[in-house]
Amino acid sequence: MFKRVLIANRGEIALRIIRACHELGIEAVCVYSSADKGGPWLEQADRAICIGPGPSKESYLKIERIIAAAEVSHAEAIHPGYGFLSENAHFAEVCRASGFEFIGPSPEAMNALGDKVNCKRLARKTGTPVFPGTEDAIEDIEEAVKVAAEIQYPVIVKARAGGGGRGMRIARDEAELRTGIEAARQEAAAAFGDGGVYVEKFLENARHFEVQTIGDKHGHAVHLYERDCSSQRRHQKLIEEAPAPGVDPKKRDRVCESAATLIREAKYSGAATVEFLMDRHQNFYMLEVNTRVQVEHPVTEMITGVDIVKTGIRVAAGEELPFTQKDIHINGHAIEVRINAEDPDRGFMPQAGLIETYAAPGGPGVRIDSHARAGYRIPPNYDSMIGKLIVHAPDRATCIERLKGALREFKIGPVKTTIPLHLKLLDHPDFRAGSHDIHYVERWLKEIAVTAKA
Ligand code: MV4
């Protein structure tokens, strides 16, 4: 096992990784920007090294500075967390070339799955369900027009290098497809330096279903079941839960096993999430693979009892997975809400500044992953998420009630947060019924905005 790990991240995920390292007897070295000087998580680190000024481009995204910090601190491995450099295959490559283990997949596996055309090809081969559409990046527009006519409109044009909702165009007829391909190509070329796009069937009113997987360097890969992340606004998830409500157990097993097979065939080691859309007949279609630990990993930890962050470190050190598929079972229900320093009444405007009041909830099944506390000043430079509240209970109904109680106990001020919004969303009839889709939050926000005006 490693003696010392460098954490190339900040905030709650840095703290989560520090805790995992310490449980494994590993020293944790943090890098930080000057905007994060005095950040509460740094107190828990064995060493903290300033790598530059506030803007991410000059600190958390500066590969040379992170490598230099790993060298001076004699770390053996680098954990990227999520965001920042976590899905940057070049960074993983530089880590390896500099003699550090990257805690995550090999650059080869990251590249193979990060290219969505390639990822879909591998998925077809391994029996993971995907949307019908073009099998390669579009070379000839007429070929794309032919495929769209076969699979029927609406279709969606996506960037092969894209992800998380960037570089997509919906087309409802041939004219829209022709302009959509051009627009998506240009956008993708500018954003990713790769203008490759493909077309697939567009599904309306879907649910977002994602399978947590983890592989080791010995050819083993298992799934840890799924999360439903349909509660989102502008591709920012608000609420995540595990397991997905109302899913047929046989269909669940089939799709989760197909995700594990995909990861195994990609010779993938570390944690990965295979994203799917699910239609109202519980048909599944793979969207993309996220090659990192995700914000919402705790709900999976709560229902499976697997520590995903610790297991990710172990497999990076070359250990075999300490469990097989038959050891993994769903126990109860877990829901996570993201506590963002944002004002939902003012277009979700980020709220930087001093937290004066911070009173955290407690009780059975209540977990908080947060770096915040009273006296912490939220810097304006980064993501507005200041923590996650995760609740575990025997069943979904109890979990929702327990979560509402915890949200009522949670007092943060004077900065505005998403806590009051979550209390309302948890009472939304579609959410309570478990019949919500990826558009219900935005639909509901529009409705209440209209009601407020009238
Ligand atoms: C889709 C889709 C409908 N049909 N693909 C958005 C993010 C990226 N991961 C893929 N996305 C979508 N792909 C097909 N064929 C709808 C979305 C989508 C979405 C997906 C998951 C969560 C929220 C979403 C919000 C809008 C659109």
Side-chain angles (χ1 to χ4, degrees), residues 1-2 19 46 49 84 104 125 182 185 201 225 239 273 275 287 306 322 335 375 401 411 414 419 437 440-441:
M1 182 44 69
F2 308 122
R19 286 170 173 156
D46 297 281
I49 301 175
F84 297 125
K125 215 176 84 184
E182 266 325 304
R185 264 184 183 160
K201 178 80 181 165
Y225 290 103
I239 305 176
T273 299
E275 290 189 358
L287 289 178
V306 171
I335 306 180
E401 287 314 308
K411 302 289 182 206
I419 290 173
D437 66 15
Y440 90 104
V441 172

Side-chain angles (χ1 to χ4, degrees), residues 93-369:
E93 189 89 62
V94 173
C95 288
R96 182 157 77 184
S98 309
F100 301 106
E101 193 64 42
F102 177 81
I103 301 178
S106 68
E108 293 78 16
M110 209 189 284
N111 277 328
L113 297 176
D115 175 342
K116 287 154 69 181
V117 168
N118 198 54
C119 184
K120 264 187 92 169
R121 186 178 301 117
L122 187 60
R124 264 186 235 104
K125 215 176 84 184
T126 61
T128 309
V130 294
F131 282 109
T134 55
E135 292 199 5
D136 289 300
I138 298 164
E139 306 231 329
D140 173 11
I141 294 201
E142 301 313 318
E143 174 64 23
V145 167
K146 214 177 92 194
V147 169
E150 280 164 25
I151 63 176
Q152 301 193 337
Y153 292 90
V155 299
I156 184 165
V157 187
K158 292 183 175 182
R160 74 185 306 173
R166 291 178 315 156
M168 308 191 317
R169 282 286 184 292
I170 299 165
R172 299 192 181 274
D173 57 39
E174 186 181 322
E176 285 186 7
L177 178 60
R178 288 176 185 276
T179 54
I181 288 172
E182 266 325 304
R185 264 184 183 160
Q186 284 180 22
E187 204 176 296
F192 317 114
D194 176 352
V197 298
Y198 62 102
V199 169
E200 65 185 20
K201 178 80 181 165
F202 177 71
L203 176 63
E204 325 240 14
N205 306 325
R207 275 169 64 182
H208 178 117
F209 180 105
E210 58 176 43
V211 181
Q212 178 69 57
T213 65
I214 191 157
D216 66 20
K217 294 177 180 173
H218 306 273
H220 309 115
V222 303
H223 70 77
L224 303 175
Y225 290 103
E226 83 282 3
R227 301 179 283 260
D228 184 311
C229 307
S230 301
S231 299
Q232 59 87 37
R233 173 186 172 270
R234 298 192 179 174
H235 303 294
Q236 295 293 315
K237 294 166 186 166
L238 286 162
I239 305 176
E240 305 102 346
E241 60 180 309
V247 173
D248 174 70
K250 283 202 192 71
K251 288 186 176 169
R252 160 181 293 127
D253 280 342
R254 210 182 312 140
V255 67
C256 289
E257 275 159 25
S258 83
T261 304
L262 175 65
I263 290 309
R264 198 176 303 121
E265 292 298 313
K267 302 197 188 329
Y268 189 98
S269 81
T273 299
V274 185
E275 290 189 358
F276 294 87
L277 286 182
M278 184 182 88
D279 70 15
R280 60 172 174 279
H281 307 293
Q282 301 195 0
N283 295 307
F284 296 89
Y285 308 94
M286 189 198 69
L287 289 178
E288 56 196 68
V289 177
N290 299 315
T291 56
R292 55 176 156 79
V293 68
Q294 288 194 263
V295 173
E296 56 272 25
H297 75 274
V299 291
T300 301
E301 296 187 321
M302 303 310 275
I303 64 153
T304 60
V306 171
D307 187 317
I308 295 168
V309 178
K310 272 167 68 176
T311 310
I313 297 171
R314 286 198 153 122
V315 297
E319 291 185 16
E320 288 189 42
L321 282 177
F323 43 77
T324 65
Q325 194 63 62
K326 65 175 178 7
D327 300 318
I328 305 301
H329 304 283
I330 298 176
N331 171 27
H333 201 90
I335 306 180
E336 170 181 288
V337 293
R338 296 190 187 193
I339 313 295
N340 297 342
E342 293 172 355
D343 187 354
D345 293 333
R346 286 183 180 69
F348 291 79
M349 195 200 293
Q351 309 284 295
L354 183 68
I355 298 177
E356 291 174 28
T357 309
Y358 184 92
V366 176
R367 165 177 171 181
I368 294 170
D369 280 19

